[in-house]
Amino acid sequence: MLKRIFDIVTAAAGLLLALPLIGLCWTIAAIDTRSNGFFIQKRIGRHGRVIHVCKIKTMYPGDSRRSPIASRNAAVITGSGRFFRKYKLDELPQLFNVLLGSMSIVGPRPDVPGYADRLEGGDRIILQLRPGITGPASIKYKNEEEILASMDDPLAYNDQVIWPDKVRLNKEYIRNYSLLRDFGYILQTLFGRGPHEHP
């Protein structure tokens, strides 16, 4: 309950500050893609239920070449989309998800269908929490797209190295949860460099 109250207060305050920026990003994305500047994506949320995550659109719409591995989508990412992704501005509309209750400020990132489904046994503890905008795994892999782009087989590296490590980090987050740590992750996301340890 305390975490939910923290989420509501933080998301409401964040939206008050970020609404003009979200509006500007939406306008730029709409002009760049000639479509709605928001992108709604199906992700796996709490208890394995499908949620609809709102983001600023960073790719041209209706392209069949999209891949769940972001680094493979370079050819369809818009000019503004590269900037939004670099500075995580495309994530700002997820504050609406937090306010509505499908996400949390801090927690495991919501996976696309096909990944959360793989969780078995003790790993399924991750699905007990609302997925988050940021968290220890997000901070560690803030440069995930660049890492995967440098690999000969990005999909294999993601599936065999990055994703299992994210599962480990998310389980540690849940087992050692505290509101103070959540506050620290928010500060690290906003102001820290977000240390990446290459696994």
Side-chain angles (χ1 to χ4, degrees):
M1 180 61 70
L2 190 60
K3 182 175 175 65
R4 180 63 189 143
I5 293 171
F6 177 79
D7 281 342
I8 292 171
V9 172
T10 306
L15 281 171
L16 283 175
L17 294 172
L19 268 178
L21 183 56
I22 292 173
L24 177 62
C25 292
W26 177 88
T27 302
I28 294 171
I31 293 171
D32 223 359
T33 64
R34 294 175 181 164
S35 63
N36 186 349
F38 286 133
F39 173 62
I40 307 299
Q41 186 176 39
K42 288 183 180 180
R43 296 284 181 120
I44 302 301
R46 193 180 187 190
H47 304 312
R49 298 191 183 101
V50 173
I51 63 173
H52 296 85
V53 175
C54 183
K55 302 177 76 173
I56 296 293
K57 189 173 288 182
T58 60
M59 292 189 285
Y60 294 106
D63 197 292
S64 61
R65 292 174 290 172
R66 293 187 183 190
S67 166
I69 303 301
S71 62
R72 290 185 168 181
N73 295 314
V76 295
I77 295 175
T78 64
S80 62
R82 291 187 180 88
F83 180 83
F84 295 153
R85 284 169 175 249
K86 180 178 180 180
Y87 295 101
K88 308 300 181 186
L89 298 176
D90 58 316
E91 310 283 354
L92 287 176
Q94 290 171 55
L95 290 169
F96 289 111
N97 286 102
V98 175
L99 205 58
L100 294 172
S102 61
M103 289 183 67
S104 181
I105 295 292
V106 181
R109 284 295 295 161
D111 277 315
V112 294
Y115 279 87
D117 314 40
R118 300 182 191 177
L119 296 171
E120 297 179 349
D123 292 347
R124 292 189 66 81
I125 192 176
I126 295 170
L127 297 177
Q128 291 181 11
L129 285 185
R130 292 180 179 88
I133 296 176
T134 189
S138 300
I139 292 169
K140 178 174 181 178
Y141 290 104
K142 65 173 293 186
N143 297 321
E144 180 178 337
E145 289 189 31
E146 289 83 354
I147 295 166
L148 291 174
S150 69
M151 298 296 160
D152 292 333
D153 190 338
L155 182 60
Y157 190 81
N158 179 72
D159 292 354
Q160 297 169 18
V161 179
I162 293 182
W163 190 73
D165 192 42
K166 286 182 178 179
V167 171
R168 177 186 64 81
L169 290 168
N170 289 328
K171 287 166 64 177
E172 286 181 1
Y173 165 75
I174 294 170
R175 289 168 178 162
N176 300 300
Y177 172 76
S178 78
L179 199 58
L180 184 61
R181 282 196 178 94
D182 271 9
F183 189 65
Y185 290 130
I186 292 171
L187 291 179
Q188 193 172 358
T189 300
L190 293 175
F191 305 111
R193 297 179 61 184
H196 167 72
E197 302 169 15
H198 204 293

